[in-house]
Amino acid sequence: MDWRAKVELFEQIRLEYEFGVGTIQGVSRKLGVHRRLVREAIRSAIPARRKKTERPQVKMAPAAEFIDAILETDRKAPRKQRHTAKRIWERIREEVSGCRAAERTVRQYVARRKEALGLARGEIFVPQSYGWGVEAQVDWYEAYADLDGERVKLQVFSLRSMASGAAYHRAYLRAAQQAFLEAHELAFHYFGGVFRRLRYDNLSSAVKKILRSYERELTARFIAFRSHWQYQAEFCTPGEGHEKGGVEGEVGYFRRNHWVPVPVASDLAELNAKLLADCHHDEGRILSGRMESVGRLLLAEKEHLRPLPAEDFELAEVSFPRVDQAGCAKVRTNFYSGPLKAGSMVEARVYSSVVEFRQDGVRVAQPQRSYERAQQILDLEHYLEVLERKPGALRGSKPLAQWRVQDRWPESYDRLWELMNERQGRQDGTRSMIALIRMGREFGYAKLETSVAQAMELGGRDVAAIRHLLMTDELQHAVVTTVEIGALAAYERALPTMAEYNHLLTIEVLA
């Protein structure tokens, strides 16, 4: 019998005893219950709770000593490398023969043993209050997304206002320092101002070395960034994530509501546009214990934020590498190609997603940044002038191989290349192909690919024909306009007559 039914039964017994039969034996016979239960109901309207009998853990008996040994060993293990109940259950299945307890049974047993051994932490935390624009908390977390059909592991930046509850999220391939600083800048613009204090983990993008107490040796770029935006930075005690519990809770909510199911996007830019829309959507939430939405609270908080500086911080990491004989400049641990002369010095600016090369203040190349090590990131476009002098090097070149991997060299190019070689010879055919690729700079590579496919269908096999197809949109032809005949009446004139001339014939001429 459940608790509610028993309370109702007690009420019926008490009413029958007071206003009905009036005797214990009579109530017992009428309602069909034991006299002991009638006496209990008369004493109190609330039934006594039944004591749970401790039953022997028969299924757990073979693994009891094994579990106790694991829990004792975990006392000395790092906090984040201790056994979970699920991991203990997995080890029992593998290492303890004769124990076939279910996972739930193991979980309940481990919880009781941790409490008995004093391993269960029941720490109490003191709720905090925050003023408008005073503090925001920052954290990185991992998430997965399907980008261009491939599942990619991402690092996501999160910054949460502790007063309004509004938050900003942005995804990156790596949690590099450039991404860290860029995300701060975008978050400040999202909130419309700068918080007086930001609270962090001891992440390597900001902290170079942990000293005594709350002292930290910070990186030079982070100090300059903090000075530019004029805010105070505080760092949590190592291993105490609850010191920034606001952003930890925000990450959990955002992951459950906006990363499930796994988001699908064509690239990282499209994904971040979705995340930004999700941040705006969450402004409609009303947090527990509050009367107004996050968006309304954020509008009130903006008036208390520090104003944005007139100029943003220079996010790029600048270096001046020298171009080697392969036409590449070494930036950090990788080599990037560019339209540069061997031996020249170039300005390299490293951002979160790209590496920008400049000469005399003018951008000459912007390859995608690679987070691998000792890699060559080569663009075939940067080698076209050299290949015109050395056409035989094109077929086996590494830049061409990378274009093939990136789907920038379609099969139609190979078919056209073979036709050009058959018609003009290998060297001249390859030079024509190089000249064709150079037209991609002028007209765009997508348009070039379309024109090549169209030329193949029409039987065109030379560069001039493809150039003509590329320029069809620019050709202007005279357009003939039709005129109604009625409009020509304005140009009608009377026909000439010979009457005046005939009159001259009748006049006599004096001799």
Side-chain angles (χ1 to χ4, degrees):
M1 182 182 296
D2 62 9
W3 175 255
R4 179 185 176 88
K6 196 169 184 179
V7 171
E8 292 176 348
L9 177 60
F10 268 42
E11 181 186 24
Q12 189 177 4
I13 292 172
R14 291 170 65 87
L15 290 174
E16 190 66 37
Y17 181 78
E18 292 290 337
F19 306 105
V21 178
T23 64
I24 295 176
Q25 187 174 8
V27 173
S28 174
R29 288 177 178 177
K30 185 174 182 179
L31 298 180
V33 296
H34 199 277
R35 293 188 301 273
R36 185 171 52 250
L37 186 64
V38 176
R39 293 189 183 95
E40 183 181 349
I42 294 172
R43 286 194 301 268
S44 174
I46 301 175
R49 296 283 185 178
R50 292 186 61 183
K51 295 181 179 180
K52 292 184 177 180
T53 58
E54 291 289 337
R55 294 184 297 177
Q57 298 285 331
V58 179
K59 291 187 176 181
M60 293 301 303
E65 294 183 1
F66 180 77
I67 294 175
D68 289 348
I70 290 177
L71 295 179
E72 288 295 334
T73 305
D74 278 354
R75 289 180 184 270
K76 300 179 182 179
R79 187 175 62 86
K80 292 190 176 182
Q81 291 180 246
R82 296 173 184 171
H83 287 75
T84 62
K86 181 178 180 181
R87 179 58 183 148
I88 293 176
W89 173 68
E90 291 174 348
R91 288 192 59 184
I92 289 173
R93 294 177 63 189
E94 296 173 359
E95 303 177 32
V96 180
S97 60
C99 182
R100 293 293 179 265
E103 182 181 354
R104 182 181 178 183
T105 304
V106 174
R107 284 181 180 276
Q108 293 174 347
Y109 181 82
V110 170
R112 288 195 297 271
R113 291 304 298 160
K114 282 186 175 181
E115 186 175 353
L117 296 172
L119 297 175
R121 294 182 62 183
E123 192 172 353
I124 297 176
F125 302 102
V126 181
Q128 300 291 303
S129 62
Y130 301 92
W132 294 117
V134 174
E135 181 174 316
Q137 297 179 357
V138 178
D139 198 11
W140 285 100
Y141 64 96
E142 295 179 354
Y144 287 86
D146 292 336
L147 301 181
D148 196 20
E150 181 181 357
R151 181 149 297 183
V152 180
K153 182 180 179 180
L154 301 171
Q155 303 295 323
V156 189
F157 173 91
S158 178
L159 189 149
R160 181 184 188 268
S161 165
M162 297 306 297
S164 65
Y168 177 80
H169 297 254
R170 186 172 180 84
Y172 293 90
L173 294 175
R174 297 289 188 278
Q177 188 180 62
Q178 289 76 25
F180 177 68
L181 302 182
E182 179 187 87
H184 273 78
E185 192 169 278
L186 294 172
F188 292 151
H189 284 285
Y190 174 80
F191 286 101
V194 183
F195 296 88
R196 290 173 176 79
R197 180 174 64 246
L198 295 183
R199 187 176 294 275
Y200 301 92
D201 273 336
N202 297 281
L203 63 175
S204 59
S205 298
V207 178
K208 191 174 181 180
K209 186 177 181 181
I210 300 176
L211 305 176
R212 291 183 178 180
S213 185
Y214 293 100
E215 297 180 2
R216 303 290 187 273
E217 182 180 344
L218 306 179
T219 62
R221 281 189 61 77
F222 179 75
I223 295 174
F225 181 84
R226 183 183 62 180
S227 174
H228 177 85
W229 292 97
Q230 298 181 346
Y231 69 87
Q232 179 185 358
E234 290 188 0
F235 298 91
C236 299
T237 305
E240 301 293 340
H242 61 269
E243 293 185 4
K244 54 179 184 60
V247 72
E248 297 281 356
E250 165 64 27
V251 166
Y253 174 86
F254 199 88
R255 181 187 278 120
R256 291 189 299 271
N257 288 272
H258 301 298
W259 288 96
V260 179
V262 176
V264 179
S266 59
D267 54 20
L268 197 58
E270 182 181 335
L271 176 65
N272 280 321
K274 175 195 175 300
L275 296 181
L276 181 60
D278 292 336
C279 293
H280 286 296
H281 178 269
D282 284 351
E283 291 180 8
R285 294 172 59 199
I286 298 179
L287 300 181
S288 176
R290 303 192 183 187
M291 303 300 294
E292 294 184 296
S293 67
V294 171
R296 288 185 176 274
L297 296 176
L298 178 58
L299 289 176
E301 186 174 35
K302 283 183 179 180
E303 299 178 1
H304 301 272
L305 296 174
R306 289 178 176 172
L308 298 171
E311 296 181 356
D312 290 339
F313 184 76
E314 177 54 65
L315 299 173
E317 176 186 322
V318 182
S319 61
F320 294 88
R322 193 173 295 277
V323 182
D324 59 19
Q325 292 184 343
C328 296
K330 185 177 181 180
V331 180
R332 285 182 169 254
T333 62
N334 295 312
F335 297 85
Y336 298 86
S337 68
L340 308 165
K341 294 183 179 180
S344 62
M345 187 173 291
V346 63
E347 178 185 358
R349 306 173 70 85
V350 181
Y351 294 93
S352 62
S353 58
V354 297
V355 176
E356 184 179 284
F357 290 122
R358 293 187 180 184
Q359 274 193 333
D360 300 327
V362 179
R363 186 177 68 189
V364 295
Q366 192 179 47
Q368 291 293 315
R369 179 178 176 179
S370 173
Y371 285 94
E372 304 296 330
R373 297 179 65 86
Q375 300 297 309
Q376 285 185 318
I377 296 86
L378 309 177
D379 190 341
L380 181 61
E381 185 177 312
H382 299 155
Y383 296 90
L384 295 179
E385 294 182 0
V386 178
L387 290 170
E388 283 185 343
R389 301 192 304 270
K390 304 175 181 179
L394 175 61
R395 187 172 295 276
S397 64
K398 194 171 182 178
L400 175 58
Q402 292 191 7
W403 265 36
R404 293 184 188 277
V405 173
Q406 299 166 7
D407 294 329
R408 297 182 64 183
W409 187 276
E411 295 182 1
S412 58
Y413 286 9
D414 285 320
R415 294 198 303 269
L416 180 61
W417 191 2
E418 292 300 325
L419 293 174
M420 287 181 173
N421 288 343
E422 292 176 3
R423 183 176 180 182
Q424 304 175 29
R426 178 168 295 182
Q427 284 198 345
D428 291 340
T430 302
R431 285 194 174 95
S432 296
M433 194 65 197
I434 294 169
L436 181 72
I437 299 303
R438 296 190 68 169
M439 289 192 293
R441 299 179 183 176
E442 181 180 355
F443 298 98
Y445 289 99
K447 190 175 181 180
L448 176 62
E449 183 178 346
T450 302
S451 298
V452 168
Q454 187 178 359
M456 296 291 290
E457 292 179 0
L458 298 175
R461 300 183 182 182
D462 56 13
V463 177
I466 297 173
R467 174 174 283 275
H468 177 78
L469 292 173
L470 289 168
M471 298 179 65
T472 51
D473 295 341
E474 302 176 8
L475 297 177
Q476 296 182 357
H477 300 280
V479 180
V480 179
T481 58
T482 58
V483 180
E484 294 183 5
I485 296 178
L488 299 177
Y491 300 99
E492 288 186 358
R493 297 291 185 269
L495 295 174
T497 63
M498 301 297 292
E500 297 295 335
Y501 180 77
N502 291 336
H503 176 69
L504 293 175
L505 294 177
T506 61
I507 299 175
E508 294 182 358
V509 179
L510 297 177

